[in-house]
């Protein structure tokens, strides 16, 4: 993801950048200050510098670098659409110093062909709220406060809809519930906290069966943020429109979340907040009952079973591993759950691989993780369609194919409910349709068995909630 950052002239003269870029396949854009190139006998200044893969790929006027920012948005949406997504969720905005600039660029240039629900990283809530307020102001709402910018984005669309020929106004007319939360396909919907780490650093109430290398014998991992920080945020937003999303893998992290939520219910009463338990990899039966009571929504990284399942059995022990990703327990408790991926942390934003993993539960070695928590193919499909729409409070317009809803759907080469459930991940996406318009179509010359979504190695833990209302047509389409 591109980063817009100011570079200090002295820093460059000393050979040290103020915002060093990681050597990844993504691009980092430096701009906003004097960039001294040192490329000639006299000082030569550039407006922007782009790094990709550890190499400088562009040094010139800012306009060229902005084309890279455009490509980030258009490339991401094209990739999401190729896996059948019509709405994407990114709950880590603020992890990169350029994130707000990239989102604003996508809004202003109307670069997105699908809907994008974003969450502010907990440390960047104020900056995101201020940026949203500025968008409100720029799109016609007078002098909004930062908090209004975060919670009342419908003003953007109301103002934009009054402009002749505005695509946002036409889009609004298609939404049966008058959904005014998006502007040019972007919605700021929540805040994201990280309550613990990954599989070897999942915060548990009881010690690990086998601690990771270097850890003490009674290792349980550790708490990431103080209770007071989480409770203060819930206190502000519990009864509003901003959802709290919380990354958690261990039951101690889930306990911290439940304590905070239960305090809010006692203080303010029950609200339709739908707090999201991101991953919820291991939660206890007593916690599932409490999740039901407060309206919590778990989103499971089912495809994480493939690279991480064997490690879970070793680190957490067979009992906790068997109870992990407790989809069946959630069904019995009447709790809607979704399946989600972690792109770009995971290699690709696959959707059918999530369904496959939730149905089959096979680790890399072939052992079944949590055999009693495996769901049927239809239940797994609900987790990436209807339940995912419920998770982000958009069930009135998305998630199922019903009269009056948005025509968001995907055409697959075969029905996932027919055939061998072990091959669901191999089903190719032939076409993705957003509000009746094709945003992805597979090249007919591409073999379905080698296409996107076919037998790809799976991923790492997730934050995105992908979903696709499904329609099935013959592969000859």
């Amino acid at each position: 993801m591109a980063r817009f950052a100011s570079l200090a002239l002295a820093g460059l003269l000393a050979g040290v950048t103020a915002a060093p870029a990681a050597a990844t396949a993504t691009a980092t854009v430096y701009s906003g200050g004097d960039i001294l190139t040192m490329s000639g006998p006299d000082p030569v200044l550039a407006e922007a510098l782009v790094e990709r893969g550890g190499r400088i790929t562009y040094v010139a006027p800012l306009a060229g670098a902005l084309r890279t920012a455009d490509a980030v948005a258009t490339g991401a949406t094209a990739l999401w659409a190729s896996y059948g997504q019509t709405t994407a969720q990114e709950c880590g905005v603020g992890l990169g110093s350029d994130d707000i600039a990239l989102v604003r660029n996508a809004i202003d240039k109307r670069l997105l062909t699908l809907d994008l629900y974003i969450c502010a990283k907990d440390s960047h809530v104020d900056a995101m709220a201020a940026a949203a307020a500025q968008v409100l102001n720029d799109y016609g709402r007078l002098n909004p406060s930062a908090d209004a910018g975060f919670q009342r984005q419908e003003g953007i669309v109301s103002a934009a809809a009054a402009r002749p020929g505005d695509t946002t106004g036409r889009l609004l007319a298609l939404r049966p519930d008058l959904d005014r939360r998006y502007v040019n396909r972007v919605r700021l919907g929540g805040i994201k906290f990280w309550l613990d780490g990954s599989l070897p650093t999942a915060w548990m109430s009881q010690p690990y069966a086998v601690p990771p290398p270097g850890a003490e014998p009674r290792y349980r991992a550790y708490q990431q943020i103080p209770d007071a920080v989480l409770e203060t945020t819930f206190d502000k937003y519990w009864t509003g429109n901003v959802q709290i999303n919380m990354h958690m893998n261990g039951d101690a992290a889930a306990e911290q979340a439940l304590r905070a939520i239960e305090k809010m219910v006692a203080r303010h009463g029950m609200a339709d907040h739908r707090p999201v338990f991101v991953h919820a990899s291991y939660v206890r039966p007593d916690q599932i009952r409490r999740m039901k009571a407060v309206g919590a929504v778990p989103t499971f990284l089912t495809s994480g079973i493939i690279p991480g399942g064997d490690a879970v059995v070793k680190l957490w022990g067979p009992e906790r591993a068997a109870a992990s990703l407790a989809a069946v327990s959630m069904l019995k408790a009447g709790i809607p759950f979704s399946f989600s991926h972690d792109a770009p942390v995971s290699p690709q934003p696959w959707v059918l691989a999530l369904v496959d993993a939730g149905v089959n539960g096979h680790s890399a070695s072939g052992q079944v993780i949590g055999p009693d928590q495996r769901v049927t193919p239809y239940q797994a499909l609900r987790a990436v369609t209807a339940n995912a729409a419920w998770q982000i409070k958009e069930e009135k317009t998305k998630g199922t194919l019903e009269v009056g809803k948005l025509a968001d759907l995907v055409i697959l080469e075969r029905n996932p409910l027919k055939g061998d459930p072990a091959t669901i991940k191999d089903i190719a996406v032939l076409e993705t349709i957003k509000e009746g318009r094709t945003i992805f179509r597979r090249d007919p010359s591409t073999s379905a068995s080698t296409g996107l979504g076919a037998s790809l190695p799976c991923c790492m833990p997730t934050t995105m909630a992908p979903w696709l209302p499904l329609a099935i047509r013959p592969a000859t389409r």
Side-chain angles (χ1 to χ4, degrees):
M1 189 176 274
R3 267 183 217 145
F4 289 91
S6 246
L7 295 186
L9 178 61
L12 279 178
L13 288 172
V16 179
T17 62
T24 66
T26 56
T28 301
V29 179
Y30 295 93
S31 67
D34 289 337
I35 299 177
L36 185 58
T37 67
M38 307 302 295
S39 59
D42 297 314
V44 177
L45 297 178
E47 292 180 337
L49 179 148
V50 178
E51 170 273 335
R52 184 188 296 271
R55 299 276 183 164
I56 296 171
T57 59
Y58 180 90
V59 184
L62 181 58
L66 291 178
R67 285 195 293 272
T68 300
D70 292 356
V72 169
T74 57
T77 53
L79 183 63
W80 288 326
S82 73
Y83 282 95
Q85 288 186 230
T86 54
T87 296
Q89 180 180 13
E90 174 52 63
C91 271
V93 178
L95 288 170
S97 60
D98 67 320
D99 287 0
I100 291 175
L102 278 172
V103 172
R104 180 61 196 261
N105 185 64
I107 290 172
D108 291 342
K109 295 182 179 179
R110 298 176 183 170
L111 297 176
L112 305 183
T113 58
L114 47 72
D115 289 342
L116 177 62
Y117 172 112
I118 59 176
C119 296
K121 185 180 183 296
D122 55 341
S123 61
H124 284 68
V125 171
D126 290 343
M128 287 289 291
Q134 185 62 53
V135 171
L136 279 169
N137 186 67
D138 292 346
Y139 278 77
R141 187 178 177 90
L142 298 178
N143 301 318
S145 66
D147 191 57
F150 203 96
Q151 295 206 48
R152 295 187 55 78
Q153 295 174 88
E154 60 265 32
I156 303 174
V157 180
S158 296
R163 300 179 182 178
D166 190 275
T167 56
T168 306
R170 295 198 298 273
L171 173 62
L172 177 61
L174 295 173
R175 297 185 183 275
D177 62 346
L178 296 180
D179 192 329
R180 298 171 181 267
R181 293 170 289 184
Y182 284 89
V183 53
N184 293 342
R185 299 209 177 280
V186 177
R187 173 188 168 200
L188 177 56
I191 299 169
K192 171 77 176 291
F193 286 90
W194 279 258
L195 304 188
D196 66 358
S198 57
L199 299 183
T201 51
W203 183 25
M204 295 289 185
S205 60
Q206 299 299 318
Y208 279 44
V210 177
E216 62 177 347
R218 300 287 295 172
Y219 176 81
R220 298 187 299 114
Y222 43 83
Q223 182 175 353
Q224 294 270 18
I225 63 171
D227 289 0
V229 172
L230 188 62
E231 291 169 12
T232 297
T233 305
F234 264 116
D235 194 43
K236 182 175 183 180
Y237 294 113
W238 175 248
T239 58
N241 298 320
V242 180
Q243 285 181 283
I244 309 299
N245 293 252
M246 296 159 289
H247 167 110
M248 63 185 72
N249 278 302
D251 66 323
E255 187 68 25
Q256 182 185 27
L258 286 166
R259 283 197 306 267
I261 297 167
E262 288 165 348
K263 285 185 178 180
M264 296 308 109
V265 173
R267 186 176 303 165
H268 302 293
M270 190 60 188
D272 185 24
H273 187 94
R274 305 183 202 178
V276 182
F277 284 31
V278 179
H279 308 327
S281 298
Y282 173 66
V283 292
R284 306 186 306 268
D286 65 292
Q287 292 176 324
I288 293 175
R289 292 191 291 271
R290 291 158 65 196
M291 289 172 66
K292 171 65 174 178
V294 299
V297 184
T299 179
F300 298 122
L301 173 65
T302 51
S303 55
I305 288 173
I306 297 174
D310 295 325
V312 164
V313 175
K314 179 180 178 180
L315 291 166
W316 299 356
E319 183 176 346
R320 277 182 290 205
S324 63
L325 304 182
V328 171
S329 296
M330 298 296 172
L331 281 171
K332 291 178 178 178
I335 299 174
F337 60 85
S338 70
F339 292 164
S340 52
H341 58 71
D342 217 9
V345 175
S346 56
Q348 298 292 343
W350 33 58
V351 177
L352 290 171
L354 301 172
V355 174
D356 189 293
V359 170
N360 299 300
H362 291 138
S363 71
S365 69
Q367 69 174 314
V368 175
I369 308 300
D372 295 335
Q373 297 296 341
R374 293 178 295 175
V375 296
T376 68
Y378 184 71
Q379 290 165 342
L381 289 171
R382 291 271 299 176
V384 296
T385 54
N387 291 357
W390 167 265
Q391 176 187 313
I392 61 172
K393 301 185 180 182
E394 295 188 25
E395 71 277 5
K396 292 181 181 180
T397 54
K398 300 175 181 178
T400 60
L401 299 178
E402 299 180 80
V403 173
K405 287 195 171 184
L406 295 178
D408 293 358
L409 52 118
V410 63
I411 299 171
L412 306 176
E413 67 170 333
R414 71 170 175 85
N415 189 337
L417 304 184
K418 298 179 180 179
D420 184 359
T423 64
I424 291 175
K425 65 181 180 301
D426 301 322
I427 298 173
V429 173
L430 302 182
E431 189 172 349
T432 303
I433 299 166
K434 174 63 178 166
E435 293 158 25
R437 186 171 70 87
T438 296
I439 59 174
F440 168 78
R441 180 179 286 118
R442 179 172 301 285
D443 185 338
S445 65
T446 303
S447 169
S449 63
T450 58
L452 296 170
S455 297
L456 295 172
C458 256
C459 45
M460 312 258 315
T462 178
T463 55
M464 293 183 78
W467 37 291
L468 59 161
L470 295 166
I472 297 137
R473 294 186 189 174
T476 54
R477 154 88 178 164

